[in-house]
């Protein structure tokens, strides 16, 4: 499976940025899975790190691989966060949230000295927003929040796990996947969405990544 190979290469490459004694942000998704698995190997070999997981799924992986966990009561600033993305640009802007973990991912990323993103090359875009923008909203008044998103020319689609079951985030909220025609200014769109009562967070991660590791056929390239 060539794409899985590219994800694995990029994911494993990220551990080069981890040093003994660091506190880590542990991202979510199938690419950073390989990073978490490799960190587990290093912990077995005696490396001393602690991590804050960005989803219950990542928390389960960390426990499975023996990575000690910590939290924001014990740690104020994280040394390095490693996470995935759904889209990235040459400006290092990201679209995230495909896995529904965007709120904790953004909280952990902004608490980190360095943010490393691991992707396969298919995630590269000229401008963000080929895919819908995930927006986490509180369930109360979601109909009104949807209307406000339509007013700024978005098409909000309530994320579901089946015909009858609405997706519920780890924080107990709903997610709208919002189609926007072309996003000329992602930072401005992010601010418009964040100003709406009912919106918790958006999947627009602007100016947050320090390094993007890109899995290709035979190697891992990077932009910083
Ligand atoms: O939800 C996210 O932002 C995750 O990082 C995820 O979407 C990354 O996707 P992946 O499973 O292709 O790594």
């Amino acid at each position: 499976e060539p794409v899985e190979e590219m994800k694995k290469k990029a994911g494993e490459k990220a551990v080069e940025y981890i040093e003994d004694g660091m506190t880590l942000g542990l991202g979510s998704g199938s690419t950073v899975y390989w990073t978490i698995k490799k960190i587990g190997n290093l912990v077995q070999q005696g490396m001393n790190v602690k991590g804050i997981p960005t989803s219950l799924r990542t928390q389960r992986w960390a426990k499975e691989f023996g990575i000690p966990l910590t939290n924001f009561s014990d740690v104020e600033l994280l040394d390095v966060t490693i996470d995935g993305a759904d889209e990235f640009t040459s400006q290092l802007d990201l679209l995230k949230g495909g896995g529904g973990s965007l709120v904790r991912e953004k909280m952990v990323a902004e608490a980190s000295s360095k943010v490393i993103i691991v992707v396969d090359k298919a995630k590269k875009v000229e401008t963000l927003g080929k895919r819908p923008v995930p927006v986490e909203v509180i369930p109360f008044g979601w109909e009104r929040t949807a209307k406000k998103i339509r007013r700024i020319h978005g098409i909000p689609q309530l994320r579901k796990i089946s015909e009858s079951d609405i997706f519920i985030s780890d924080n107990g909220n709903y997610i709208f996947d919002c189609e926007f025609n072309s996003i000329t200014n992602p930072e401005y769109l992010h601010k418009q969405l964040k100003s709406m009562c009912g919106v918790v967070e958006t999947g627009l991660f602007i100016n947050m990544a320090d390094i993007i590791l890109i899995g290709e056929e035979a190697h891992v390239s990077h932009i910083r």
Side-chain angles (χ1 to χ4, degrees):
E1 169 54 36
V3 172
E4 199 53 41
E5 264 314 299
M6 290 189 235
K7 289 180 175 221
K8 187 166 190 278
K9 277 195 188 71
E12 293 186 340
K13 179 85 175 172
V15 305
E16 291 179 11
Y17 295 84
I18 297 174
E19 290 161 24
D20 193 76
M22 281 189 167
T23 53
L24 308 173
L26 301 174
S28 296
S30 61
T31 309
V32 77
Y33 166 82
W34 297 108
T35 313
I36 294 168
K37 189 168 168 50
K38 193 139 175 86
I39 293 170
N41 298 343
L42 296 173
V43 168
Q44 305 314 326
Q45 293 160 26
M47 190 171 74
N48 163 33
V49 291
K50 291 187 292 185
I52 297 184
T54 55
S55 63
L56 299 179
R57 187 170 178 235
T58 289
Q59 182 174 303
R60 283 195 296 273
W61 289 339
K63 286 185 176 159
E64 179 189 344
F65 298 135
I67 302 171
L69 298 179
T70 186
N71 55 54
F72 285 118
S73 296
D74 290 349
V75 172
E76 188 178 351
L77 185 66
L78 298 169
D79 296 302
V80 177
T81 279
I82 302 162
D83 201 349
D86 299 307
E87 293 179 348
F88 73 93
T89 70
S90 55
Q91 314 301 318
L92 284 86
D93 289 334
L94 313 173
L95 183 66
K96 285 176 60 55
S101 315
L102 62 122
V103 177
R104 298 191 184 190
E105 288 173 334
K106 196 173 279 189
M107 178 76 79
V108 163
E110 69 168 25
S112 303
S113 301
K114 188 179 284 187
V115 176
I116 298 169
I117 298 298
V118 290
V119 293
D120 60 274
K121 67 177 188 176
K123 304 287 185 68
K124 184 159 176 50
V125 294
E126 279 307 305
T127 52
L128 295 181
K130 283 196 178 14
R131 298 168 63 114
V133 177
V135 178
E136 183 155 325
V137 303
I138 63 166
F140 180 80
W142 66 267
E143 302 87 343
R144 289 182 47 79
T145 309
K147 203 173 289 180
K148 288 178 212 161
I149 292 172
R150 288 192 200 96
R151 261 192 231 125
I152 61 165
H153 314 301
I155 305 171
Q157 187 83 33
L158 190 57
R159 189 178 294 188
K160 298 205 166 157
I161 43 179
S162 74
E163 188 48 41
S164 51
D165 289 345
I166 297 173
F167 172 88
I168 304 292
S169 74
D170 289 346
N171 315 303
N173 295 318
Y174 292 166
I175 288 186
F176 285 139
D177 290 301
C178 305
E179 294 277 350
F180 288 94
N181 192 0
S182 73
I183 302 176
T184 47
N185 184 333
E187 188 157 24
Y188 179 65
L189 175 59
H190 167 75
K191 289 188 170 115
Q192 281 185 295
L193 290 164
K194 280 287 283 203
S195 70
M196 297 174 185
C197 169
V199 169
V200 177
E201 194 45 75
T202 81
L204 295 165
F205 284 50
I206 308 307
N207 202 21
M208 293 189 78
D210 295 296
I211 302 172
I212 301 182
L213 301 177
I214 306 156
E216 320 238 3
E217 279 73 9
H219 69 293
V220 178
S221 58
H222 71 275
I223 50 179
R224 55 176 70 219

